[in-house]
């Protein structure tokens, strides 16, 4: 009987290891949570696996399986109880499988199907993901590796372990593709990666759900779906609801699984890796000639100075910065002329073309991946209804690639602008534009009267075209740029072109408000003439007065030999008197108008001006960026001069107090920190922990740890106080490195240390932290062959608890730890006596 039980257990373990090895290298199968209708709590096996089922140091769950389960819960209303088993990963996995078979847990995930396991567990009808066996090379591999199934090839392949299902899958793949594999045996993925880096292997064998930084995939094969499983014969209705929920998830969002896969196992990278041939092409290519069809804002157009602008141009600048490629932009007004030159070999690239295979075939270009995808909008006059466009006149580009039926009667035009203008002139009733083009044109007054209605058609996609016969390295570089450019950089290029208002003229205003414009222009003209005459006379008087005032102030400032300032609220002009440098007799006078500030000048002066304008008279101590390009502590004495309640001038004096501030900060740090270990002293620790306890909410939890060095007196007596002091400093350094910045680490005195952890999830987190600390202390050597040990007493804190109460609990726990023989920890049970 026992023999049968052992055989069964061995079979389970073998199957389990076989299947999970196919999922993740050296990882267990993920687990999920099975749920019942309503608010039923479902117990879920949760082995800790990177990417699938993860748990951080604060007890937060994440991972592919975890998120998929949470999405299922949106359809079922289930709650989850995640079940973990400590110990060796393989043993814990076997334990969880036994618990599932006995019905002690309800659900488990990440299971590949086999006939043997199918007799032990009930599988969901639908998989929730799949895993592939893959071959990978370094992103910046010194050789360009391409698998050619038509020619024999030999590759050195780094493989973890020996034998197994994945290696058999590799053998099958190699036979199919005429590859002779030479195995480089490794202990794990780190050793595989090192084999690629040192050149002892060409490729490494991996699985698609084991993400490794710095490699790229060159082959995928042997895909295997994985499932959620439950106890055999579970008739609670759980599997029925699970199947329904998985189907709903996939139907509602078919890309949900692939999105999770990319999030946890293939995170987006903004690093551009070029192959040898691509890098060689980028470094040796001559200036590439780019055809730019103008009149297509915001994608490409010429500004009033004839300079080429637009999203396409901005992206070409980005490509040049990233790769070193140089471009010569050649503008065209005619599409036919541009493609005629391209067919004669006069162009290398065509910018801003539709991502359409028929279009590419007709014009002899190869399509790069689209760099813009924008929703189509129906643009129609506000006076018309968008509910029925049947039979109305549709303004459409004569070069449109659309080949379907139209609801309206098509009227062709040569450009998007011509289509829009046709509607304003009554020559057409509506047109279609993409969202970026619509935003660009509706900035102009004459086009604001249009109504924009989103459409559900396939979005407009814009790309670069490489003129045939083109260089495939160039096409590959353009595609890699599209996949690595960050959303922030791409959106910045788009925003610079769609939010930049096209040049408008007085004619635009007159077009929108013709009658009012005539009256306003006439009135403004008369008023301006009268104001100019008065202003010129007053200006002459004020100039003479200001010159005398400035001379007087300058002489006063020279006598004082200090920094003074004067700000005029009416003119926004600021004067700052700078004491004369050594060897000079006169102070420098800095004058600037806040309205003219921009760029770095704005950054230097804006904060200073904000203080001056605040009208809070008195002393202000602030740290600001000054004219020397450095930040200094300043003491600003401010006084506002008012005419009744209206501020007219702000005057004051400035002192640089960097040295004074440094002295204060040094004294404050010395008063707060222990002189030996440079962590918080007893008084500061007490204040900071008390403050943290005051801020605890009803559901929050913290923890206080008291740490004593075991037999420290013996260390002092045996090795001397200097060695003892060095030990204390090492303990303090280890504690500071083991906790977060917001946690409080101090030394009340002697060989006692105190730590307060803020915002912990539960006591399990505290237990793991104490155990980790005890283990880490063994790394501090007292003498060769003898390491340091500590005793730790810990107590969890809750809202309303005082420092003295918490300290008493932790101190009592420390006493218990010492009673247990030291070199251990003890958690308070909440009672102090």
């Amino acid at each position: 009987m026992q023999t049968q039980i052992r055989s069964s257990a061995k079979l389970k373990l073998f199957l389990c290891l076989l299947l999970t090895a196919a999922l993740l290298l050296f990882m267990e199968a993920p687990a999920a949570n099975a749920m019942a209708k309503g608010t039923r709590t479902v117990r879920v096996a949760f082995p800790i696996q990177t990417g699938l089922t993860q748990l951080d140091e604060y007890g937060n769950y994440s991972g592919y399986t975890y998120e998929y389960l949470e999405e299922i819960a949106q359809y079922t209303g289930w709650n989850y109880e995640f079940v973990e088993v400590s110990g060796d990963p393989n043993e814990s996995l076997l334990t969880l499988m036994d618990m599932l078979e006995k019905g002690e847990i309800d659900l488990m995930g990440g299971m590949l199907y086999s006939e043997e396991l199918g007799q032990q567990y009930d599988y969901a009808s639908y998989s929730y993901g799949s895993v592939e066996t893959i071959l990978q090379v370094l992103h910046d591999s010194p050789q360009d590796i391409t698998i050619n199934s038509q020619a024999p090839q030999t590759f050195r392949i780094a493989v973890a372990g020996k034998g197994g299902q994945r290696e058999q899958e590799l053998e099958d793949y190699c036979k199919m593709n005429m590859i002779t594999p030479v195995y480089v045996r490794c202990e794990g993925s780190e050793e595989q990666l090192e084999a690629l880096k040192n050149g002892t292997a060409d490729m490494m064998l991996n699985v698609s759900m084991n993400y490794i930084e710095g490699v790229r995939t060159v082959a995928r094969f042997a895909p295997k779906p994985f499932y959620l499983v439950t106890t055999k014969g579970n008739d609670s209705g759980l599997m029925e609801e699970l199947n329904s929920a998985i189907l709903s998830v996939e139907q509602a969002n078919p890309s949900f699984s692939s999105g999770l896969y990319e999030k946890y196992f293939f995170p987006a990278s903004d690093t551009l890796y070029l192959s040898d041939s691509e890098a060689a092409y980028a470094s040796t290519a001559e200036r590439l000639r780019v055809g730019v069809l103008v009149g297509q804002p915001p994608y490409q157009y010429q500004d009033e100075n004839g300079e080429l602008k637009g999203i396409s141009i901005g992206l070409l600048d980005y490509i040049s910065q990233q790769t070193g490629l140089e471009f010569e932009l050649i503008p065209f007004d005619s599409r036919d002329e541009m493609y005629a030159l391209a067919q004669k070999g006069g162009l290398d690239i065509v910018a801003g073309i539709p991502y359409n295979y028929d279009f590419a075939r007709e014009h002899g270009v190869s399509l790069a991946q689209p760099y813009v995808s924008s929703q189509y909008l129906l643009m129609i006059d506000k006076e018309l209804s968008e509910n029925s466009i049947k039979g109305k006149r549709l303004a459409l580009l004569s070069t449109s690639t659309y080949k379907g039926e139209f609801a309206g009667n098509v009227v062709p035009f040569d450009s998007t602008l011509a289509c829009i203008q046709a509607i304003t002139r009554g020559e057409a009733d509506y047109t279609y534009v993409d969202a970026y083009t619509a935003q660009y044109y509706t900035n102009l007054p004459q086009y604001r009267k249009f109504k924009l209605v989103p459409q559900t058609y396939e979005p407009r996609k814009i790309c670069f075209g490489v003129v045939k016969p083109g260089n495939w390295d160039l096409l590959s570089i353009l595609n890699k740029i599209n996949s690595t450019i960050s959303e922030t950089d791409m959106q910045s290029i788009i925003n610079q072109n769609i939010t930049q208002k096209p040049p408008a003229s007085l004619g635009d205003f007159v077009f929108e408000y013709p009658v009012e414009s005539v009256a306003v222009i006439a009135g403004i003209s008369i008023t301006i003439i009268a104001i100019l005459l008065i202003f010129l006379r007053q200006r002459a008087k004020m100039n003479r007065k200001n010159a005398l005032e400035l001379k007087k102030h300058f002489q006063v400032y020279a006598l004082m030999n200090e920094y003074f300032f004067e700000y005029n609220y009416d003119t926004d002009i600021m004067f700052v008197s700078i004491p004369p440098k050594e060897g000079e007799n006169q102070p420098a006078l800095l004058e600037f108008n806040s309205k003219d500030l921009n760029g770095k000048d704005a950054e230097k002066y804006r904060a200073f001006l904000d203080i001056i304008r605040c009208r809070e008279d008195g002393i202000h101590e602030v740290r600001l960026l000054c004219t020397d390009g450095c930040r200094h502590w300043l003491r600003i004495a401010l006084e506002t001069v008012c005419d009744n309640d209206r501020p007219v001038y702000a005057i004051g004096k400035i002192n640089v107090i960097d040295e004074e501030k440094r002295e204060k900060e040094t004294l404050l740090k010395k008063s707060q920190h222990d002189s030996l270990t440079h962590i918080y002293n007893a008084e500061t620790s007490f204040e900071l922990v008390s403050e943290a306890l005051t801020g605890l909410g009803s559901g929050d939890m913290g923890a206080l740890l008291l740490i004593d060095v075991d037999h420290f007196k013996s260390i002092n007596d045996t090795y001397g106080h200097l060695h003892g002091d060095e030990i204390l400093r090492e303990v303090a350094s280890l504690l500071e490195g083991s906790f977060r910045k917001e946690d409080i680490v101090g030394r009340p005195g002697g060989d006692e240390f105190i730590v307060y952890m803020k915002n912990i999830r539960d006591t399990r987190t505290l237990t793991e932290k104490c155990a980790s600390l005890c283990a880490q202390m063994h790394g501090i050597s007292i003498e060769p062959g003898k390491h340091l040990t500590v005793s730790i007493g810990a107590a969890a804190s809750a809202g309303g608890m005082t420092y003295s109460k918490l300290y008493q609990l932790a101190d009592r726990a420390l006493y218990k730890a010492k009673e247990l023989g030291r070199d251990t920890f003890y958690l308070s049970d909440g009672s102090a006596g």
Side-chain angles (χ1 to χ4, degrees):
M1 183 65 174
Q2 291 178 345
T3 303
Q4 291 176 343
I5 293 174
R6 284 197 210 99
S7 298
S8 176
K10 289 181 180 179
L11 175 60
K12 289 181 183 177
L13 180 58
F14 173 75
L15 291 172
C16 175
L17 293 177
L18 179 65
L19 295 174
T20 54
L23 269 176
L24 289 175
L25 191 59
F26 306 138
M27 295 180 65
E28 314 91 84
N33 184 343
M35 312 170 250
K37 280 188 177 180
T39 57
R40 180 169 63 172
T41 298
V42 179
R43 300 160 299 175
V44 182
F46 202 89
I48 305 305
Q49 302 167 299
T50 303
L52 282 171
T53 43
Q54 303 175 149
L55 183 65
D56 66 19
E57 61 180 308
Y58 304 112
N60 298 311
Y61 294 109
S62 63
Y64 182 102
T65 296
Y66 172 77
E67 283 204 35
Y68 204 102
L69 285 168
E70 290 295 351
E71 187 66 17
I72 286 174
Q74 309 312 307
Y75 292 90
T76 61
W78 297 342
N79 293 323
Y80 295 117
E81 175 190 333
F82 294 107
V83 180
E84 304 162 42
V85 176
S86 58
D88 176 81
N90 294 330
E91 293 179 357
S92 65
L93 186 59
L94 183 58
T95 300
L96 288 170
M97 293 177 70
D98 283 338
M99 292 174 67
L100 178 66
E101 188 174 2
K102 296 174 183 176
E104 296 173 0
I105 54 178
D106 304 307
L107 199 64
M108 189 168 185
M111 298 290 287
L112 302 181
Y113 179 78
S114 73
E115 185 175 348
E116 291 83 355
L117 290 178
Q119 295 174 359
Q120 294 177 258
Y121 310 105
D122 281 339
Y123 278 70
S125 300
Y126 308 101
S127 67
Y128 71 102
S130 64
V131 61
E132 297 174 296
T133 303
I134 57 177
L135 290 173
Q136 294 178 307
V137 300
L138 291 174
H139 261 302
D140 51 353
S141 174
Q143 58 177 319
D144 295 330
I145 294 179
T146 302
I147 295 175
N148 182 1
S149 63
Q150 304 302 308
Q153 293 174 291
T154 300
F155 293 118
R156 298 167 299 166
I157 304 174
V159 178
K162 186 175 182 181
Q165 181 178 349
R166 284 190 300 110
E167 193 168 319
Q168 182 58 53
E169 293 167 351
L170 174 61
E171 290 281 354
D172 295 341
Y173 178 80
C174 289
K175 289 178 182 178
M176 182 175 65
N177 290 278
M178 300 176 66
I179 295 172
T180 301
V182 177
Y183 293 121
V184 179
R185 299 293 176 182
C186 303
E187 291 297 324
S189 56
E190 291 184 3
E191 194 171 319
Q192 287 179 283
L193 186 60
E194 184 58 32
L196 293 183
K197 292 179 178 179
N198 62 31
T200 58
D202 305 310
M203 305 176 179
M204 63 177 285
L205 182 65
N206 198 4
V207 289
S208 59
M209 300 187 81
N210 183 30
Y211 173 73
I212 296 178
E213 184 76 27
V215 297
R216 58 187 170 88
T217 300
V218 295
R220 296 175 178 272
F221 49 91
K224 298 168 283 296
F226 52 87
Y227 301 84
L228 290 160
V229 300
T230 188
T231 306
K232 193 72 174 178
N234 186 329
D235 59 357
S236 65
L238 182 145
M239 186 58 75
E240 181 181 351
E241 288 193 45
L242 178 64
N243 287 332
S244 177
I246 295 175
L247 186 60
S248 297
V249 169
E250 297 300 331
Q251 288 180 341
N253 185 0
S255 62
F256 182 71
S257 298
S258 59
L260 286 183
Y261 171 78
E262 290 185 6
K263 177 179 179 180
Y264 287 104
F265 302 107
F266 195 73
S269 172
D270 57 2
T271 303
L272 177 64
Y273 294 101
L274 298 181
S275 67
D276 278 359
S277 63
E278 292 165 352
Y281 174 81
S283 63
T284 59
E286 297 180 356
R287 184 184 292 265
L288 297 171
R289 299 157 299 176
V290 183
V292 180
L293 184 64
V294 298
Q296 301 183 81
Y299 299 103
Q300 45 211 45
Y301 59 94
Q302 287 178 306
D303 63 13
E304 59 271 19
N305 300 318
E307 184 177 355
L308 285 171
K309 300 284 188 180
I311 297 172
S312 303
I313 313 305
L315 185 55
L316 287 171
D317 290 339
Y318 177 87
I319 295 172
S320 182
Q321 294 170 9
Q322 296 296 313
T323 65
L325 289 172
E326 296 183 355
F327 302 102
E328 177 188 353
L329 304 180
I330 305 175
F332 290 90
D333 293 315
S334 165
R335 186 184 302 269
D336 293 338
E337 291 179 5
M338 181 174 68
Y339 284 107
L341 181 62
Q343 291 175 3
K344 295 176 182 178
L347 296 176
D348 302 298
I349 299 174
V350 181
I353 67 174
Y355 188 73
N356 181 276
Y357 295 124
D358 292 337
F359 183 92
R361 190 179 305 107
E362 179 183 351
H363 294 89
V365 295
S366 298
L367 299 177
Q369 289 299 304
Y371 53 83
V372 167
S373 179
S374 181
Q375 180 186 23
Y376 273 108
L377 303 175
L378 172 68
M379 179 178 277
I380 192 170
D381 192 285
K382 286 184 178 179
E383 304 300 324
L384 300 176
S385 171
E386 72 277 13
N387 294 329
S388 177
I389 57 175
K390 187 174 182 180
K392 290 187 170 60
R393 296 165 298 174
L394 166 62
L396 193 69
L397 283 171
S398 56
T399 57
S400 171
T401 58
Y402 178 72
K403 301 186 183 306
E405 296 182 357
F406 294 98
N409 300 318
V410 175
V411 182
F413 292 93
D414 292 334
S415 67
T416 300
L417 177 58
C419 291
I420 297 172
Q421 289 175 336
I423 303 175
T424 64
R425 294 192 299 264
E427 298 172 4
D429 300 305
Y430 71 100
T431 188
Y432 293 103
V433 296
D434 67 87
Y436 294 147
T437 303
Q439 186 170 348
Y440 181 90
Y441 278 112
T442 52
N443 284 334
L444 289 172
Q446 62 266 42
Y447 304 128
R448 291 176 186 160
K449 66 177 183 177
F450 288 115
K451 189 184 332 183
L452 300 173
V453 184
Q455 303 297 293
T456 58
Y457 311 127
E458 183 178 350
R460 184 186 186 192
K461 296 179 180 179
I462 301 296
C463 68
F464 291 118
V466 176
V467 178
K468 294 179 180 180
N471 186 291
W472 305 132
D473 285 324
L474 172 59
L475 184 65
S476 179
I477 290 172
L478 295 177
N479 286 333
K480 285 185 176 181
I481 287 288
N482 278 338
S483 64
T484 58
I485 185 171
S486 68
E487 290 186 11
T488 301
D489 288 337
M490 191 65 220
Q491 197 58 53
S492 175
I493 293 172
I494 292 172
N495 290 342
Q496 289 173 13
N497 291 282
I498 65 174
T499 58
Q500 179 180 350
K501 187 173 181 178
S505 63
L506 182 61
D508 297 328
F509 182 83
V510 173
F511 179 86
E512 191 167 4
Y513 307 104
V515 178
E516 295 87 343
S517 297
V518 173
V520 170
I521 292 172
I524 289 176
S525 299
I526 296 171
T527 304
I528 288 175
I529 293 172
I531 291 175
L532 282 175
L533 292 174
I534 297 171
F535 174 75
L536 290 174
R537 184 173 180 179
Q538 293 296 325
R539 178 73 178 269
K541 291 182 179 180
M542 289 300 297
N543 284 342
R544 289 193 298 271
K545 181 179 178 181
N546 289 339
L548 291 173
E549 286 288 326
L550 183 58
K551 185 177 180 181
K552 178 184 71 175
H553 287 317
F554 199 81
Q555 291 173 341
V556 172
Y557 295 153
L559 294 173
M560 300 298 293
N561 197 35
E562 290 192 63
Y563 290 91
F564 287 87
F565 64 86
E566 179 179 312
Y567 172 74
N568 188 318
Y569 276 88
D570 294 330
T571 63
D572 273 334
I573 293 177
M574 168 74 78
F575 292 96
V576 180
S577 169
I578 302 175
K581 298 179 181 178
E582 187 174 347
E584 298 177 354
N585 296 324
Q586 294 293 330
L589 192 64
L590 178 65
E591 175 186 0
F592 60 89
N593 189 323
S594 63
K595 295 177 180 177
D596 299 331
L597 296 178
N598 54 65
K600 293 183 178 179
D601 288 337
E603 182 183 358
K604 284 192 291 189
Y605 299 129
R606 189 70 63 196
F608 177 62
L609 283 170
D610 290 342
I611 295 172
I612 303 307
R613 293 167 174 160
C614 74
R615 297 185 61 187
E616 294 179 6
D617 293 352
I619 303 298
H620 299 263
E621 290 187 359
V622 291
R623 188 167 183 265
L624 299 177
L625 183 66
C626 298
T627 54
D628 61 356
C630 300
R631 293 189 177 273
H632 295 284
W633 276 102
L634 306 178
R635 181 178 289 122
I636 302 172
L638 173 65
E639 187 69 27
T640 305
V641 180
C642 296
D643 180 8
N644 293 324
D645 290 332
R646 185 178 68 87
V648 181
Y649 293 98
I651 58 176
K653 186 174 73 170
I654 306 170
N655 294 102
V656 180
I657 58 171
D658 287 339
E659 189 63 32
E660 180 181 331
K661 279 290 183 181
R662 278 194 291 270
E663 291 177 359
K664 287 183 178 180
E665 289 173 0
T666 301
L667 290 173
L668 178 61
K669 187 172 182 180
K670 285 183 177 179
S671 69
Q672 291 182 332
H673 290 74
D674 172 54
S675 60
L676 175 64
T677 61
H678 304 299
I679 59 179
Y680 290 123
N681 57 28
E683 182 179 355
T684 305
S685 298
F686 166 78
E687 292 174 354
L688 293 177
V689 175
S690 298
E691 181 181 332
L693 290 173
T694 303
L696 275 179
S698 59
D700 298 335
M701 179 185 292
L704 184 69
L705 283 69
L706 295 184
I707 304 158
D708 264 7
V709 177
D710 293 334
H711 308 298
F712 183 72
K713 183 177 183 304
S714 174
I715 295 174
N716 271 342
D717 294 342
T718 305
Y719 305 99
H721 287 277
L722 290 178
H723 187 65
D725 289 348
E726 180 59 31
I727 292 293
L728 293 177
R729 281 191 287 267
E730 287 188 54
V731 172
S733 176
L734 188 150
L735 290 175
E736 279 195 306
S738 298
F739 291 89
R740 301 162 296 178
K741 288 184 178 180
E742 62 264 33
D743 294 332
I744 301 162
V745 180
R747 177 184 173 228
D751 62 332
E752 181 178 287
F753 294 84
I754 186 172
V755 177
Y756 183 76
M757 297 174 64
K758 300 181 180 180
N759 299 324
I760 66 171
R761 184 181 181 91
D762 50 34
T763 55
R764 184 186 66 181
T765 302
L766 179 57
T767 300
E768 293 172 350
K769 195 64 178 180
C770 290
S772 174
L773 277 181
C774 286
Q776 289 181 70
M777 290 296 176
H778 293 176
I780 299 177
S781 175
I782 299 175
E783 67 174 23
K786 184 177 181 181
H787 60 74
L788 187 74
T789 65
V790 297
S791 299
I792 303 174
S797 62
M801 183 175 286
T802 64
Y803 177 89
S804 60
K805 172 68 174 177
L806 181 61
Y807 187 93
Q808 185 181 17
L809 292 173
D811 188 59
R812 179 63 178 167
L814 176 60
Y815 180 79
K816 289 283 189 181
K818 292 180 178 180
E819 284 185 337
L820 293 172
R822 304 178 186 267
D823 191 20
T824 188
F825 63 94
Y826 189 87
L827 264 60
S828 171
D829 59 1
S831 61

